[in-house]
Amino acid sequence: MEVVMREPGLKAQLFRFVDVLPALDGAHSVTDHLRQYVGPVRGKLPRLINGVLNYLPEDGWVGERFAEVTRWGVGRLARQFIAATDMRGVFAAVEKLRRKRLAFTLDLVGEAVLSEAEASAYQQRYLELIAQLCDRGVDWKTDPLIDHDHHGPLAKVNLSLKLSSLYSQFDPIDPAGTSAAVRERLRPIFRLAKARGALVNLDMEQYAFKNVTLRIFREILEEEEFCDWRDVGVVVQAYLRDSERDLWELSEWAVGRGSPVWVRLVKGAYWDYETTIAQQNDWPAPVFTSKPQSDANFERLTDFLLDHHDVLRPAIASHNVRSIAHALAAARVRNLPTGSVEFQMLYGMADEIHPALVEMGQRVRIYTPMGELLPGMAYLVRRLLENTSNESFLRAGFLEHAPEEQLLMNPMELIERDTVASARKLAGTLPAPDGFVNEPLSDFSRESARAAMHQALEQVARQLGETYPLVIGGKRVQTGGRIESINPSHCRQIVGSSGRAGVDQARAAVEIAKEAFAGWRVTPAQHRAAILSRCAEIMRRRRFELAAWEVYETGKQWREADADVAEAIDYCEYYGREMIRLSKPIRRDVAGEQNEYFYIPRGVAVTIAPWNFPLAILCGMTSAALAAGNTVVMKPAEQSPVIAAKLMEVFEQAGMPAGVVNYLPGVGEEIGPALVGHPDVEIIAFTGSRAVGLEIQRQAAQTPAGQDHVKRVITEMGGKNAIIVDESADLDEAVHGVVASAFGYAGQKCSACSRSIVLASIHDSFLARLVEVTKSVRIGPAEDPAAMVGPVIDQEARDRILRAIEKGKGEADLAYAADLGSLANEGWYIGAHIFSGMRPTASIAQEEIFGPVLAVMRASDLGEAIGIANGTPYALTGGIYSRSPANVERVRREMRVGNLYINRKITGALVDRQPFGGFKLSGIGSKAGGPDYLLQFLIPKTVTENTLRRGFAPEMSAVDAGAAGE
Ligand code: NAD
């Protein structure tokens, strides 16, 4: 530990190794991974260890002994923090604590609970734990120091519990549903604890779960059965900016309830996680950015708790002697009886402090985790980080022996100094050079975002059924036929109807766009970008309304719809900036010769879009064309003309001149050929299926009479994307990532995972867990925030997917098929399907199905897995779950995909951060939202001027001055 504290690089590598170790099978794998992890930081290791590593054989007797010793070492490390694996060990551990006059609260460290079966098993284990501890506790001699306070006897058996372990679909987007489901499982636990005189404390996890945890706490304790129960508590994390308000609300509520509850005040253990998530999403950090701010807040909240100790019984959980001393002094100032404040510490930490407090007659409770090493790994790594953190009191106090004045300093004095340091640490995100920032996604764990979405859904519901004519040259054009847009979640509900363009209107639209080109092409790039920025601004204002339209028209879940609107905003901002960048001519002058390289627009673009990202893709292709100075005929998909009409409204509101963009809803087969074949069309930007994309390529290659150019065709097509899972993968994360990638939006994303290629040694356990987890995924209408899988887009899609499933049954084993229940007649639903045991060449493993259907395949080694992954005509997205640096590196090199994701889901690319697009038969390879995209919409031009006149050439500096003036 001392070595890793001195060497942060080594610390990261060693902790990563500790994290993967329990998943490794066999001596060879242990040695191999250790070498991979410490390889890059070898120089930092003590010489002896380095020498051992150099000569260590991977196999044979020595290798095996080494692996054993390594496991034993990490096991010992874990045992320092995790008290026991079984009940016998638990009894021994807590009885030993009691002999030292220390109370305990027992925590069952759990794997991430991903399925309902796991949640239910977790509940059972808790119930058994309570029963067994209470049986055993009968024999424990009462110790007044820990079993009594001034109110009377205290529960000897005290447990801590994480609510997310009781419900696999725990999600703050649906607080009411989450609360109901969690309370269902929590009630028997509370009932038993109450009957047996045990105390249950609800732990706090990440910030996103905080409000729903507090809500569940209050709701269950208001139920008649528990409304006067006092042996129950909750945690407040002082590093959260909200914590003071939460505590205040809790005290008001407890007064109303009429019975006190316990509050454990902690600083909070997820600081790195919270700040990283906030930075990634561009959300305000929920935590204080500096440690002294949290310390100061901890003292403020301690004061608050002591002032309200009759309703919120204080448990001060800290290893920081200053925080503890402050609580003692604050209690003394208030003349509170000894024991009215409880101190809590973690098992295996700050062992030097307990006896001192016990000697002072204080009650100390030890938070005592039990469980196996593998599920306990997340807990162990958190403790290791805490012990070795630069800001750890334990490290400063007990390892580095910092002076007392520093250790006990008032945090207020440190705040200023540390705020500067932390601000520097937080600046880890590199801003894009041109100031582009992704539009933050809505945080639906916040009440304000949920309320806005509910309101938008209600408002939009009142506008369903309207009609949307074509818009050509700024004029509304009525058509004989209509396209009716239907809500896939409720197939009897009409969302609206649009005009249905015919061939004549298609031609008219191209002609109008051609006329408008004359003015738009000479509009400065800055001005075009400014209009696009206004579009972004309008979409920001109409954000929830547009998302609500997507929910109804394309069956998108809240988060998916919200992300689609954010992406559309990004495209407008990004392409505008990109064009400003590209509009600066490149000069390569020599004496007597001026050379200029610059871009000019091409002409009329036709954008043909799919329905699955109904706003983002249409807006992306269109705004790129517009930014580049081309004019556009927008042809949305038949299934999503209403959202496209809303986009047209946005363009008009932003001041796009008439005819520069035209809205042409229509049936692809009817007007597609007329648009694609039109001699005045210069660019076709298409996103959709492979069959249509290739047909468009073929048609556009013709040069009919009257056409004076070769068309530029941009096609983004389908995928058959694979995620590889190797034996070192974190199985929880792999299963979670595969489920999210395969079944999110019912698998209707070009980036969706439709193949999972798993190494043989873990194939069966992976598949079993995957099936369990998929069983727990909720299917339902898109407007219901609790549903992860909604409907597929239409009847035709459903029939096609069902046919693929039938065919799959002939070539593979159906490992799971979800039951739809009563939904079957309500909309176009298809439950998740998982197939296994197919040949890699089977159609279920080769053809894009575009629905919630996943093929799981077995590979004997990584080479074979990569071979299978690359063995389709597509190359769009792909991923790997692995904790082997060598495997990750190999996949980076060898997996042929446009977007590769490592240890995360493979959907959800962001503009600029993850430019998106595939190659082979997935597309032409230039990426949407990336630095090369606009070039496809432009023609590069070189102008060379001879500036020599009768032997006289202007000086180079004069030429430069001219260039600078442009
Ligand atoms: P689709 O090919 O059926 O339709 C796409 C668009 O093409 C629609 O607007 C449609 O009206 C139009 N169209 C149909 N026939 C036409 C013709 N003959 N001429 C001109 N246009 C015609 O695709 P879809 O069902 O809307 O979308 C799903 C497909 O899109 C999937 O294959 C998916 O992988 C792909 N997709 C790819 C990307 C990507 O970036 N690579 C993104 C989203 C979707």
Side-chain angles (χ1 to χ4, degrees):
M1 296 276 260
E2 283 188 35
V3 174
V4 302
M5 275 188 266
R6 280 198 304 274
E7 300 291 349
L10 181 61
K11 171 166 146 182
Q13 292 299 90
L14 272 184
F15 286 5
R16 283 176 165 207
F17 173 70
V18 168
D19 170 50
V20 69
L21 182 67
L24 301 180
D25 208 15
H28 172 85
S29 187
V30 171
T31 320
D32 181 37
H33 276 77
L34 185 59
R35 284 208 173 108
Q36 289 180 33
Y37 275 103
V38 297
V41 285
R42 267 209 173 170
K44 317 258 189 228
L45 279 174
R47 211 178 301 154
L48 177 70
I49 300 185
N50 222 338
V52 171
L53 278 180
N54 274 340
Y55 297 106
L56 195 69
E58 287 180 2
D59 297 310
W61 188 86
V62 178
E64 268 167 32
R65 288 296 85 76
F66 177 78
E68 254 171 46
V69 169
T70 309
R71 283 186 206 283
W72 174 83
V74 173
R76 260 184 67 114
L77 199 59
R79 286 294 149 254
Q80 191 182 332
F81 303 106
I82 300 174
T85 46
D86 56 13
M87 277 321 285
R88 255 194 32 212
V90 168
F91 292 151
V94 300
E95 285 167 6
K96 189 169 169 199
L97 289 173
R98 287 184 60 85
R99 280 198 296 280
K100 292 191 198 163
R101 309 197 72 191
L102 298 167
F104 70 87
T105 177
L106 203 79
D107 161 57
L108 197 57
V109 291
E111 267 168 288
V113 162
L114 301 179
S115 72
E116 284 305 271
E118 287 164 9
S120 180
Y122 197 79
Q123 178 209 37
Q124 282 310 314
R125 287 175 64 200
Y126 250 98
L127 289 169
E128 280 158 26
L129 197 61
I130 296 175
Q132 293 188 24
L133 274 170
C134 288
D135 286 348
R136 180 85 177 191
V138 173
D139 297 334
W140 293 337
K141 212 169 107 247
T142 300
D143 179 342
L145 179 67
I146 53 175
D147 299 327
H148 266 93
D149 71 358
H150 58 293
H151 293 291
L154 296 169
K156 285 181 185 166
V157 172
N158 184 316
L159 296 117
S160 293
L161 175 75
K162 285 184 184 47
L163 291 187
S164 66
S165 305
L166 291 181
Y167 180 41
S168 64
Q169 309 300 302
F170 194 103
D171 190 341
I173 201 170
D174 174 30
T178 298
S179 171
V182 170
R183 278 183 288 138
E184 194 64 34
R185 289 226 171 82
L186 192 54
R187 251 174 239 125
I189 295 179
F190 273 20
R191 214 167 274 151
L192 182 66
K194 192 176 169 205
R196 303 289 314 256
L199 186 146
V200 180
N201 196 80
L202 304 187
D203 279 352
M204 211 38 102
E205 303 167 67
Q206 62 266 47
Y207 176 70
F209 289 3
K210 184 210 50 166
N211 283 346
V212 66
T213 302
L214 289 172
R215 173 181 175 149
I216 295 167
F217 181 72
R218 287 195 293 258
E219 285 183 350
I220 193 161
L221 291 182
E222 282 162 13
E223 293 179 6
E224 205 183 330
E225 194 177 352
F226 305 115
C227 67
D228 59 353
W229 191 36
R230 296 162 166 242
D231 287 336
V232 64
V234 74
V235 173
V236 169
Q237 296 158 317
Y239 69 3
L240 292 183
R241 295 173 190 275
D242 293 356
S243 49
E244 190 164 351
R245 200 189 60 213
D246 289 340
L247 215 44
W248 194 83
E249 285 175 4
L250 266 175
S251 74
E252 297 274 288
W253 167 83
V255 169
R257 177 174 173 259
S259 300
V261 292
W262 290 85
V263 171
R264 178 195 300 153
L265 183 63
V266 303
K267 259 159 219 166
Y270 302 82
W271 192 89
D272 284 354
Y273 172 85
E274 300 295 2
T275 46
T276 308
I277 294 294
Q279 284 183 42
Q280 277 185 1
N281 290 290
D282 215 355
W283 292 338
V287 291
F288 292 111
T289 45
S290 85
K291 178 79 168 50
Q293 282 175 311
S294 304
D295 288 344
N297 194 42
F298 193 87
E299 295 188 5
R300 269 197 302 279
L301 301 188
T302 302
D303 288 336
F304 183 97
L305 277 178
L306 297 192
D307 288 337
H308 298 80
H309 69 280
D310 46 342
V311 283
L312 302 179
R313 302 177 69 183
I316 304 298
S318 174
H319 304 128
N320 182 319
V321 175
R322 157 87 200 188
S323 307
I324 296 169
H326 167 266
L328 285 170
R332 191 176 301 163
V333 168
R334 289 168 177 78
N335 281 323
L336 299 185
T338 312
S340 46
V341 180
E342 171 169 303
F343 291 93
Q344 294 196 0
M345 283 164 224
L346 298 176
Y347 185 88
M349 290 179 64
D351 287 348
E352 299 85 345
I353 305 176
H354 318 148
L357 282 169
V358 171
E359 211 168 287
M360 291 165 77
Q362 298 296 330
R363 185 172 68 254
V364 179
R365 188 175 302 283
I366 305 298
Y367 185 96
T368 311
M370 75 163 288
E372 297 293 335
L373 187 54
L374 184 57
M377 207 27 92
Y379 180 84
L380 173 63
V381 171
R382 269 209 301 283
R383 293 293 81 81
L384 291 177
L385 286 171
E386 210 165 302
N387 271 294
T388 55
S389 145
N390 283 335
E391 291 174 323
S392 153
F393 181 93
L394 295 175
R395 172 176 173 175
F398 297 109
L399 284 166
E400 291 168 352
H401 305 291
E404 230 169 75
E405 307 80 67
Q406 180 194 325
L407 292 172
L408 299 182
M409 190 186 275
N410 185 342
M412 294 303 286
E413 289 174 30
L414 284 167
I415 282 182
E416 203 167 314
R417 205 180 75 199
D418 269 54
T419 311
V420 178
S422 306
R424 222 171 281 137
K425 183 175 174 193
L426 279 178
T429 323
L430 287 177
D434 54 6
F436 172 81
V437 226
N438 292 99
E439 185 65 18
L441 302 180
S442 297
D443 177 1
F444 287 110
S445 73
R446 291 183 186 264
E447 169 59 25
S448 54
R450 291 195 301 272
M453 191 68 192
H454 276 299
Q455 199 186 356
L457 283 167
E458 277 169 30
Q459 253 167 23
V460 169
R462 287 195 288 274
Q463 298 167 39
L464 299 183
E466 290 181 9
T467 53
Y468 303 87
L470 320 184
V471 183
I472 300 176
K475 297 201 180 69
R476 301 305 186 251
V477 178
Q478 301 297 341
T479 52
R482 301 215 150 280
I483 296 179
E484 216 157 61
S485 180
I486 294 175
N487 181 348
S489 303
H490 307 283
C491 56
R492 280 171 287 276
Q493 186 176 55
I494 293 174
V495 178
S497 56
S498 75
R500 177 173 179 157
V503 169
D504 290 346
Q505 281 127 353
R507 291 199 183 114
V510 173
E511 274 145 35
I512 293 278
K514 191 180 175 191
E515 277 169 32
F517 181 59
W520 188 244
R521 66 183 297 184
V522 293
T523 304
Q526 292 275 3
H527 189 80
R528 299 196 300 254
I531 300 182
L532 288 174
S533 243
R534 273 209 294 282
C535 293
E537 198 43 52
I538 295 167
M539 288 195 277
R540 257 180 222 116
R541 280 206 302 276
R542 298 178 62 179
R543 171 116 188 215
F544 291 100
E545 180 218 325
L546 292 169
W549 280 110
E550 297 201 15
V551 170
Y552 291 123
E553 189 170 37
T554 49
K556 285 217 153 198
Q557 289 65 41
W558 291 20
R559 285 196 184 95
E560 306 277 356
D562 177 72
D564 194 57
V565 181
E567 189 178 337
I569 295 172
D570 281 352
Y571 283 128
C572 290
E573 296 283 10
Y574 180 79
Y575 291 138
R577 283 175 169 74
E578 276 294 287
M579 193 57 228
I580 292 173
R581 174 177 71 86
L582 292 172
S583 65
K584 295 189 184 69
I586 298 169
R587 296 287 292 262
R588 293 285 182 270
D589 298 342
V590 293
E593 183 182 282
Q594 187 184 314
N595 290 303
E596 205 174 52
Y597 180 86
F598 56 94
Y599 296 102
I600 56 172
R602 287 180 173 270
V604 175
V606 173
T607 54
I608 304 177
W611 47 267
N612 65 337
F613 290 90
L615 191 66
I617 293 183
L618 184 62
C619 178
M621 296 190 296
T622 305
S623 59
L626 292 171
N630 306 292
T631 52
V632 180
V633 176
M634 289 199 296
K635 195 337 245 145
E638 294 85 322
Q639 297 87 342
S640 56
V642 173
I643 295 157
K646 301 287 160 193
L647 177 63
M648 188 66 212
E649 270 172 37
V650 170
F651 284 132
E652 289 182 313
Q653 282 172 9
M656 202 64 84
V660 169
V661 192
N662 302 278
Y663 166 64
L664 197 82
V667 175
E669 293 82 352
E670 289 173 13
I671 55 169
L675 289 170
V676 172
H678 197 293
D680 288 335
V681 167
E682 295 262 352
I683 309 167
I684 299 140
F686 167 84
T687 307
S689 62
R690 169 174 143 188
V692 175
L694 295 182
E695 177 57 22
I696 288 177
Q697 287 275 6
R698 203 187 53 74
Q699 282 175 20
Q702 312 297 316
T703 40
Q707 181 175 316
D708 60 2
H709 55 275
V710 180
K711 285 175 182 150
R712 167 56 71 103
V713 186
I714 304 155
T715 43
E716 301 290 342
M717 301 177 287
K720 188 72 188 173
N721 313 305
I723 295 181
I724 297 176
V725 183
D726 81 5
E727 47 309 83
S728 71
D730 180 324
L731 225 51
D732 285 348
E733 289 192 5
V735 168
H736 186 68
V738 168
V739 168
S741 308
F743 303 127
Y745 192 39
Q748 302 172 104
K749 300 182 187 180
C750 50
S751 53
C753 167
S754 55
R755 297 180 296 153
S756 182
I757 305 164
V758 187
L759 295 207
S761 61
I762 52 159
H763 174 276
D764 295 352
S765 53
F766 175 85
L767 182 61
R769 187 111 199 267
L770 182 76
V771 167
E772 263 321 303
V773 172
T774 309
K775 271 185 199 163
S776 308
V777 164
R778 295 268 294 268
I779 311 175
E783 73 277 6
D784 176 1
M788 172 182 163
V789 176
V792 298
I793 191 69
D794 58 16
Q795 173 82 46
E796 199 183 315
R798 188 168 75 169
D799 293 346
R800 183 177 41 74
I801 298 165
L802 288 176
R803 280 197 302 276
I805 290 171
E806 277 316 303
K807 194 165 171 199
K809 287 180 188 164
E811 5 171 77
D813 303 324
L814 182 58
Y816 177 67
D819 178 22
L820 289 178
S822 60
L823 280 171
N825 299 319
E826 181 60 28
W828 294 303
Y829 294 90
I830 294 190
H833 282 68
I834 299 174
F835 284 95
S836 67
M838 70 286 299
R839 282 178 298 114
T841 49
S843 70
I844 195 102
Q846 285 287 326
E847 284 162 24
E848 186 183 46
I849 298 172
F850 223 58
V853 182
L854 175 67
V856 179
M857 280 172 273
R858 186 192 298 266
S860 58
D861 58 25
L862 186 66
E864 191 188 356
I866 296 173
I868 296 173
N870 290 343
T872 75
Y874 294 107
L876 191 50
T877 68
I880 179 169
Y881 278 89
S882 167
R883 285 178 288 188
S884 154
N887 285 2
V888 168
E889 191 46 44
R890 181 165 177 200
V891 163
R892 242 176 216 278
R893 273 196 321 267
E894 295 180 17
M895 203 158 159
R896 289 186 38 90
V897 292
N899 287 58
L900 176 67
Y901 297 91
I902 298 160
N903 291 325
R904 57 153 278 180
K905 66 174 180 163
I906 63 169
T907 55
L910 292 177
V911 169
D912 185 46
R913 226 191 278 177
Q914 294 116 6
F916 183 80
F919 56 102
K920 286 167 71 180
L921 287 181
S922 291
I924 46 103
S926 194
K927 288 177 182 298
D932 303 326
Y933 191 71
L934 275 196
L935 297 180
Q936 308 171 103
F937 294 81
L938 292 162
I939 296 169
K941 187 166 172 178
T942 305
V943 176
T944 300
E945 184 179 347
N946 172 13
T947 52
L948 200 63
R949 299 270 193 290
R950 299 193 183 283
F952 162 73
E955 277 179 30
M956 287 290 282
S957 57
V959 175
D960 284 348
E966 285 197 35

